[in-house]
Each structure stands twice: as C-alpha cells, then as structure tokens.
C-alpha cells in the first residue's frame, strides 16, 4: 500500500462536505431516537404484565438481526449504487473482533434486562447516563479522544445528574420490589452502562478499518448473531423456547396475542436502536454517539412518566434538566467549532482537519474513496449508497 493510500485510510472517513452525509446522519439519529424510546418502554411493558424471563428480554434485543439484510443488500442488488458485494472485505481479524464484541454486547443486554426488571424506566434511563463518564475515559485510552472543555462539561453535568438521582433512589423503589432486588437492579444497570461505554470506543476503533456504511451494518449483523447465540443458550438453560410459549399463553396477563406483539415490537425497536448506534459511531465518533444516546435517555424518562405514571419529583426534574443542559451545551459547542473550522478553511483555501470530532473536515471524500477502492463506480461508495 502506498504512503498516500495509507494516509488517506488513516484520515476520517466522513465529512460535512458530502451531500449525503447529513441525511444519513439524521436518518441514523432518527433510528436511535425511535429505537431507544420504544425499546425501553416495551421492555418495561413486558415485565409490568408478568413477563418474568430476563433471557427472553435479552434475546429480543438481538434476535432481529435478519432485518439488517435490508441496508446490506439493497444498495447492491436493488439500487445498483455500488459494485461491492455484501460481506466482501471481511478479514479474519475483523470477523473475530465482531464475534467477540457481539458476545460482549450479549452480556450487556442481559445486564440491561436484569436492571430493567427491577427499576422504573425513568430511574434506569437516568442511571444509564452514567456510562458517559466511562465512555470519555475509555475513549481517551482506546481511540486517543482529546478532552476539551466542551465534552468535559457535558460529561460532568450528565454524571452529576446520575449521582443526584442515586442519592435519592430509595424514594423511587417500587412497592413490589425488595431492597435487595432494587440494589441488584441498580448495580446491573450501572454495569450495563460501563460495558456499553467500553463497547462504543472499541467499535469506533474497529470502524477505522471500514470505509463503507454497508460494511458497518454487516459487522453489526455478525455482532447481533453472536449476541443472539449467547441469549439462546441462556434461554435453553432457562426452559427453552417452549417456556417462552407457555409464558405467552398462561402467564402474560394481557393475553397471548399481545404477548407476541410485544415480543415482535421489541425485536424491531432494538434493531433500530442498534442500527442508529452503529451509524452514529461510524459517522461521528464514540463520544459524540454516547452523548447523543445519553441525551435521548431524557425522552425515556419522560416516556416512563407519561406511559407508566412513574413519579417525577424534584430530583428527577433537576436530573433531567442537567441532562438537557449538558447535551445542548455540547451541540452548541460542536456548531461553533464546525463554523470556525469552515471559516478557517475558506480563508486558507481548504485542508483543515480536526481529529477531535470526525465530522469536521474539508478533505474530498470522493477522492478518498476512489483511492481506497478503485473498483467502485460510485463516488459515494464509502456510504454504501
């Protein structure tokens, strides 16, 4: 590989100068928004109506991986927008990493299910925002993320909101949950946040070897398959899928039809959530993706209050406001920074690049793609469209 090609491969693979970058970014954020809110509410709905298997709740989070076939094959077979065949370009190392990350994601899904079975949606969502401080630390270590006042301020505000909630958590304990179970749910949710914080910079590091959005979805599918295998093994030891059928027929208090509708809806909503997560990390960076996901947790808090009539006292109000304040300050800081970079590039005639946020840059993504893969006939091949 020539030095020029290597340099281009090391550069960020996304750019605001690409006309299709922003629509794809917004689409992924919409997936993340819809998936995050609906999956949290539907997961709690399952437990609220006498669903009891945490393995079922874990399994539905990844079992929808066949849905990823759509963004993988449509660009090649239907739109003919790329000559790259699906699942080509996978190296044994990338495949092994995808499987390993998938198993890690499966454990994270189990911890989330465990916490969600004991905690109110609003409490669980605010606790999960604690993952952001872990995300910042791990991003600095793994992907050399630069610490700036913008991201540090956001992380501090979101972390303080979680600490504030933790100090008042005893007032939010459901009546049918013992202190021991509540404590287990609390620790499981914090563990899920920590593991997810590790997951984000790891996949960002892996995505540096990826130049195509479709390939990101392919890797995501491999991860989901591995997570599903782990959850399926757990389900077998927990009674298998026959127990799942019995639960829908005899245990779930809304009836069998509503049970299966809940399961299917969970499967779809979780896939939207994970698709949005992968897309956000690929198109921006793990820290930006983590901040966007944390900000969406505010909507989960509101959703829990509106749908399940959960208490929304002064502590949750302050915590939610702090989450919103931190996210808005980060978004505004990114806007100002991008504007300054564009103005500087206009004055200098282009060429500026900022390694802190991957969506800032003025290099030509078309030329980069043609050098990386000269067989591609689409100048937007790296977006898979």
């Amino acid at each position: 590989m020539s030095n020029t090609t290597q340099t281009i491969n090391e550069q960020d693979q996304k750019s605001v100068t690409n006309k299709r970058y922003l629509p794809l970014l917004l689409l992924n954020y919409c997936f993340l928004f819809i998936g995050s809110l609906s999956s949290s509410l539907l997961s709690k709905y399952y437990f609220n109506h006498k669903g009891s298997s945490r393995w079922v709740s874990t399994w539905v989070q990844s079992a929808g991986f066949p849905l990823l076939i759509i963004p993988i094959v449509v660009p090649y077979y239907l739109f003919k927008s790329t000559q790259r065949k699906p699942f080509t370009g996978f190296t044994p190392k990338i495949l092994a990493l995808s499987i390993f990350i998938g198993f890690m994601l499966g454990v994270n899904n189990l911890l989330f299910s465990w916490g969600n079975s004991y905690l109110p949606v609003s409490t669980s969502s605010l606790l999960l925002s604690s993952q952001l401080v872990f995300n910042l630390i791990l991003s600095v270590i793994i992907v050399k993320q630069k610490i700036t006042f913008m991201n540090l301020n956001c992380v501090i505000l979101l972390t303080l909101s979680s600490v504030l909630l933790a100090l008042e958590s005893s007032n939010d304990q459901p009546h049918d949950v013992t202190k021991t179970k509540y404590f287990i749910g609390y620790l499981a949710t914090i563990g899920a946040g920590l593991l997810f914080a590790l997951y984000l910079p790891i996949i960002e590091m892996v995505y540096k070897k990826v130049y195509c959005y479709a390939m990101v979805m392919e890797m995501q599918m491999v991860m989901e398959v591995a997570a599903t295998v782990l959850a399926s093994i757990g389900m077998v030891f927990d009674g298998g899928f026959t127990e799942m059928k019995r639960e829908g027929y005899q245990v779930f208090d809304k009836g069998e039809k509503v049970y299966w509708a809940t399961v299917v809806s969970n499967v779809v909503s979780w896939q939207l959530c994970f698709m949005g997560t992968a897309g956000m990390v690929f198109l921006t960076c793990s820290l930006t993706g983590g901040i966007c996901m944390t900000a969406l947790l505010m909507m989960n808090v509101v959703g829990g209050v509106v749908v399940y009539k959960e208490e929304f006292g002064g502590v949750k109000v302050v915590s939610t406001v702090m989450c919103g304040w931190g996210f808005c300050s980060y978004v505004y800081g990114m806007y100002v920074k991008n504007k300054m970079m564009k103005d500087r590039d206009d004055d200098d005639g282009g060429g500026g690049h900022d390694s802190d946020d991957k969506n800032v840059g003025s290099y030509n993504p078309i030329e980069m793609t043609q050098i990386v893969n000269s067989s591609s006939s689409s100048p937007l091949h790296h977006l898979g469209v």
Side-chain angles (χ1 to χ4, degrees):
M1 180 180 292
S2 66
N3 292 334
T4 303
T5 304
Q6 184 176 0
T7 300
I8 292 173
N9 274 327
E10 291 174 351
Q11 286 181 330
D12 299 328
Q13 301 168 30
K14 285 72 65 176
S15 172
V16 293
T17 60
N18 193 316
K19 293 181 179 179
R20 295 192 185 182
Y21 169 83
L22 185 58
L24 189 60
L25 181 64
L26 292 176
L27 180 62
N28 277 272
Y29 194 75
C30 287
F31 286 160
L32 182 59
F33 175 83
I34 297 171
S36 175
L37 179 59
S38 58
S39 61
S40 294
L41 295 177
L42 287 167
S43 295
K44 192 61 183 179
Y45 184 84
Y46 167 78
F47 288 113
N48 279 354
H49 294 285
K50 298 186 178 180
S52 59
S53 175
R54 294 171 188 85
W55 283 111
V56 170
S57 180
T58 303
W59 183 80
V60 298
Q61 293 181 50
S62 56
F65 65 85
L67 296 174
L68 295 175
I69 288 292
I70 298 173
I72 291 174
V73 305
V74 165
Y76 178 76
Y77 290 103
L78 185 61
F79 294 146
K80 307 294 184 182
S81 58
T82 177
Q83 292 184 356
R84 177 189 174 275
K85 292 183 178 180
F87 295 100
T88 56
F90 261 65
T91 64
K93 183 178 180 180
I94 290 180
L95 181 60
L97 281 172
S98 298
I99 294 173
F100 171 76
I101 296 171
F103 285 129
M104 186 175 70
L105 186 61
V107 175
N108 175 81
N109 294 344
L110 177 61
L111 289 174
F112 174 82
S113 298
W114 208 281
N116 203 36
S117 65
Y118 292 140
L119 301 180
V121 174
S122 52
T123 303
S124 177
S125 298
L126 286 171
L127 283 175
L128 284 172
S129 65
S130 64
Q131 61 92 15
L132 197 58
V133 65
F134 302 133
N135 184 215
L136 177 62
I137 295 172
L138 293 172
S139 294
V140 171
I141 297 173
I142 296 175
V143 294
K144 310 303 180 184
Q145 173 75 43
K146 291 197 308 185
I147 297 180
T148 64
F149 174 78
M150 178 178 64
N151 56 40
L152 184 61
N153 175 63
C154 179
V155 168
I156 290 174
L157 287 172
L158 293 174
T159 304
L160 286 178
S161 71
S162 299
V163 173
L164 182 62
L165 180 70
L167 294 176
E168 294 292 332
S169 61
S170 60
N171 297 329
D172 198 38
Q173 181 178 325
H175 299 297
D176 58 343
V177 175
T178 64
K179 288 185 178 180
T180 301
K181 289 182 177 180
Y182 188 89
F183 184 68
I184 292 174
Y186 190 93
L187 290 181
T189 304
I190 293 295
L194 175 59
L195 200 57
F196 198 74
L198 177 62
Y199 163 78
L200 291 177
I202 287 179
I203 62 172
E204 179 187 356
M205 180 179 64
V206 176
Y207 287 167
K208 287 183 177 180
K209 307 296 183 182
V210 176
Y211 59 88
C212 173
Y213 179 79
M215 189 172 178
V216 171
M217 293 296 103
E218 293 163 9
M219 292 178 61
Q220 186 65 29
M221 186 172 183
V222 174
M223 295 176 195
E224 298 287 347
V225 170
T228 303
V229 169
L230 180 64
S232 298
I233 293 173
M235 285 188 66
V236 170
F237 281 99
D238 197 40
F241 292 92
T242 55
E243 180 65 21
M244 185 180 180
K245 185 177 180 180
R246 187 197 67 82
E247 183 180 62
Y249 182 69
Q250 298 179 357
V251 179
F252 199 72
D253 62 12
K254 288 293 184 179
E256 189 174 9
K257 290 183 179 179
V258 177
Y259 176 83
W260 289 110
T262 302
V263 169
V264 173
S265 300
N266 257 299
V267 167
V268 174
S269 63
W270 276 110
Q271 282 310 304
L272 289 176
C273 184
F274 284 125
M275 281 179 63
T277 301
M280 288 293 295
V281 173
F282 176 68
L283 295 169
T284 58
C285 66
S286 59
L287 182 60
T288 299
I291 287 175
C292 290
M293 284 180 281
T294 302
L296 285 180
L297 293 175
M298 291 187 300
M299 298 304 299
N300 294 353
V301 173
V302 175
V305 173
V306 173
V307 176
Y308 299 123
K309 310 301 179 184
E310 296 173 359
E311 294 184 4
F312 195 60
V315 173
K316 284 188 180 179
V317 171
V318 174
S319 296
T320 304
V321 169
M322 290 178 71
C323 281
W325 181 13
F327 176 69
C328 290
S329 66
Y330 184 81
V331 171
Y332 178 73
M334 286 184 62
Y335 167 76
V336 172
K337 192 172 186 178
N338 288 352
K339 190 174 185 302
M340 290 176 61
M341 288 294 296
K342 287 181 181 179
D343 291 342
R344 189 177 71 181
D345 290 343
D346 290 340
D347 293 339
D348 296 341
H353 179 72
D354 190 339
S355 61
D356 184 37
D357 291 296
K358 290 194 215 176
N359 62 329
V360 179
S362 59
Y363 63 89
N364 190 331
I366 296 177
E367 293 178 358
M368 183 205 74
T369 307
Q370 290 173 338
I371 295 177
V372 171
N373 189 344
S374 59
S375 65
S376 171
S377 62
S378 170
L380 295 170
H381 173 67
H382 66 298
L383 292 181
V385 293

